[in-house]
Amino acid sequence: MKIIAALWNTLKRPPVHISLGVIIIVSFLAGIIFWGGFNTAMEVTNTEKFCVSCHEMENNVYQELQQTVHWSNRSGVRAICSDCHVPHNWTDKIARKMQASKEVWGAIFGTIDTPEKFEAKRLELAQHEWARFKANGSQECRNCHDYDSMDWSEMSDEARRFMEPAAERGQSCVDCHKGIAHQLPQQMGSVDPLLAGLVREATSVSLDEGETYYSAKSVDLYTDAERTEQAGVLQVATEVNVLETQGESVKLEIAAWRKEKGFGRVLYEDFGQNISSAVLDKDIAQDGAMIETHQSDVVDELTGLPWGQVSVTLWAEKGAYLGNREALWETAGQTYRDACSVCHTEPAPEHFDANTWPAMFSGMVGFTNMSAPTQELVLKYLQMHSSDFVDAAH
């Protein structure tokens, strides 16, 4: 009681100008007003109207959002910008607002004020958001799409096959659902940095006549050293024998098998296996001067089709070949594991045979962001490491 009485006496004791009690009460009221004003301002910055008030957002991502299920759907539930891009819990929200100061700076100085500038920065901007979603387990998605509330029986078989394992691992939604509300960056379909590094390495490889090399990328084939008459395409990771070099061109011998029904345009790695090595133009495939046959009418018992063993000699560009395939396989294997393991446990390459892999891979690759050249390399890696080439798999 004495402490309370002393505190009361202190509060009511008049100082020189104003009582301490009045100061505390005024400060408390001022704090309430400030806090209310601060939160009101915060909520204003979370509105859709505020988010699209700059033309950078209005003319780009806002237009894309309106074409997606998050804008219009049978349930009538719409997600606005802040639902996905502003954390709901208070501390993370404040941190995100502080980060947004960079966006204000960008708006002032026109960092993305034209469609061209925006597209050039789209990948960088997307990567920042993907990293944030990855770090918090896609919490903003889960505010609406909670694993515990999902009814697996209402899903399609395909969706359930991916979603149930994801739920068991507590997987981040953005691992599989990039591009669900906005367009994916164009750069994602162009250059794979791992494969690009191998292609750069190939430019410095010195080619010796009579030696064997492997293509680090797909290259055009020609009938002449000047490379004026195109003859087809040599595909990635194909074994070639260097016969001659001339300026920036190299004469290659490609040993392969092909099916003898039809034009025989596709050259394959081995008998009875659909592992593509090259695709020839129709006229070249039928030109006996270009193609030497070593065996013919070797029947594949599984399909009943006759195959022939051939070699073709054509010209191509220099600077696209490696001394072995190990680096190519290492890159392909790492890409396969990284791209596929985010959705499910990826099948081991030897789980299927070489002729089964193309259909299996085609069904999976649509869920990844692999570029076309990377897809070609990864498929060849899977085929060349399939059960047909692994003794333990039999």
Side-chain angles (χ1 to χ4, degrees):
M1 292 298 293
K2 290 182 179 180
I3 295 174
I4 296 174
L7 178 60
W8 175 247
N9 289 333
T10 301
L11 291 176
K12 71 178 183 178
R13 183 185 308 133
V16 177
H17 301 291
I18 189 169
S19 71
L20 182 59
V22 171
I23 292 174
I24 292 175
I25 291 171
V26 170
S27 298
F28 179 72
L29 293 175
I32 292 176
I33 294 170
F34 170 79
W35 189 253
F38 177 77
N39 275 286
T40 299
M42 286 273 286
E43 289 308 309
V44 168
T45 64
N46 287 341
T47 61
E48 187 175 73
K49 182 178 180 180
F50 180 87
C51 291
V52 299
S53 59
C54 60
H55 73 89
E56 288 91 339
M57 298 298 103
E58 164 68 29
N59 296 338
N60 294 296
V61 289
Y62 187 55
Q63 301 302 319
E64 296 166 9
L65 174 64
Q66 294 177 47
Q67 308 303 314
T68 72
V69 71
H70 281 98
W71 179 267
S72 179
N73 53 70
R74 66 175 181 266
S75 302
V77 178
R78 176 177 295 176
I80 65 172
C81 309
S82 57
D83 289 328
C84 300
H85 295 290
V86 178
H88 290 206
N89 96 39
W90 194 84
T91 52
D92 291 337
K93 182 188 296 186
I94 294 298
R96 181 67 190 92
K97 293 296 181 181
M98 293 173 66
Q99 291 172 348
S101 60
K102 288 182 62 178
E103 296 162 20
V104 175
W105 180 274
I108 293 172
F109 289 93
T111 305
I112 53 173
D113 61 352
T114 67
E116 293 75 20
K117 288 182 181 179
F118 185 86
E119 286 303 325
K121 294 280 286 185
R122 185 190 284 268
L123 178 60
E124 179 185 342
L125 297 171
Q127 287 173 331
H128 288 320
E129 277 301 273
W130 293 337
R132 187 177 66 82
F133 275 88
K134 183 77 172 176
N136 72 4
S138 296
Q139 184 57 54
E140 283 69 64
C141 300
R142 294 191 191 182
N143 288 325
C144 295
H145 305 283
D146 184 46
Y147 283 134
D148 293 335
S149 301
M150 292 181 181
D151 186 346
W152 309 118
S153 66
E154 293 295 318
M155 291 186 181
S156 68
D157 291 342
E158 183 178 33
R160 186 170 62 253
R161 191 161 61 247
F162 290 108
M163 289 300 297
E164 283 188 314
E168 291 173 5
R169 295 192 296 266
Q171 192 171 334
S172 179
C173 308
V174 77
D175 285 342
C176 300
H177 294 288
K178 295 182 179 75
I180 199 168
H182 303 297
Q183 294 175 10
L184 286 170
Q186 294 176 356
Q187 301 95 316
M188 291 183 68
S190 55
V191 178
D192 182 315
L194 293 177
L195 183 54
L198 292 178
V199 173
R200 285 194 300 272
E201 181 184 333
T203 61
S204 61
V205 173
S206 177
L207 302 179
D208 297 324
E209 295 180 5
E211 296 298 324
T212 298
Y213 298 90
Y214 301 87
S215 49
K217 63 176 182 176
S218 291
V219 296
D220 290 335
L221 296 169
Y222 300 87
T223 60
D224 58 325
E226 292 73 26
R227 290 181 281 151
T228 59
E229 184 181 347
Q230 191 163 353
V233 177
L234 179 72
Q235 298 192 315
V236 68
T238 295
E239 181 179 303
V240 296
N241 186 38
V242 171
L243 301 179
E244 181 184 345
T245 59
Q246 192 175 122
E248 294 303 312
S249 299
V250 57
K251 192 175 186 180
L252 305 173
E253 180 185 42
I254 308 161
W257 288 80
R258 66 175 180 174
K259 298 171 186 176
E260 295 190 333
K261 281 197 172 183
F263 294 107
R265 294 180 57 201
V266 182
L267 303 184
Y268 297 100
E269 180 86 18
D270 208 343
F271 168 72
Q273 295 173 338
N274 297 319
I275 307 173
S276 181
S277 294
V279 180
L280 305 178
D281 290 352
K282 183 174 69 173
D283 293 340
I284 302 299
Q286 296 295 298
D287 189 340
M290 293 284 181
I291 298 179
E292 182 180 356
T293 300
H294 303 286
Q295 294 186 68
S296 61
D297 292 324
V298 182
V299 177
D300 179 5
E301 294 182 359
L302 189 63
T303 63
L305 293 175
W307 288 60
Q309 187 179 25
V310 301
S311 60
V312 57
T313 301
L314 293 165
W315 291 87
E317 66 173 309
K318 271 187 177 180
Y321 314 94
L322 297 169
N324 59 68
R325 285 194 276 208
E326 294 311 309
L328 288 166
W329 294 155
E330 184 178 344
T331 295
Q334 186 63 52
T335 301
Y336 170 64
R337 291 187 292 273
D338 290 346
C340 296
S341 63
V342 296
C343 294
H344 55 80
T345 301
E346 72 280 6
E350 64 270 21
H351 190 72
F352 301 108
D353 61 38
N355 290 344
T356 300
W357 261 118
M360 296 301 302
F361 185 69
S362 177
M364 295 188 297
V365 75
F367 296 97
T368 74
N369 299 316
M370 291 186 203
S371 64
T374 303
Q375 290 181 34
E376 182 184 333
L377 175 61
V378 171
L379 175 57
K380 195 158 192 174
Y381 158 79
L382 294 171
Q383 290 183 288
M384 293 294 292
H385 293 77
S386 66
S387 59
D388 292 313
F389 296 90
V390 178
D391 290 339
H394 299 283

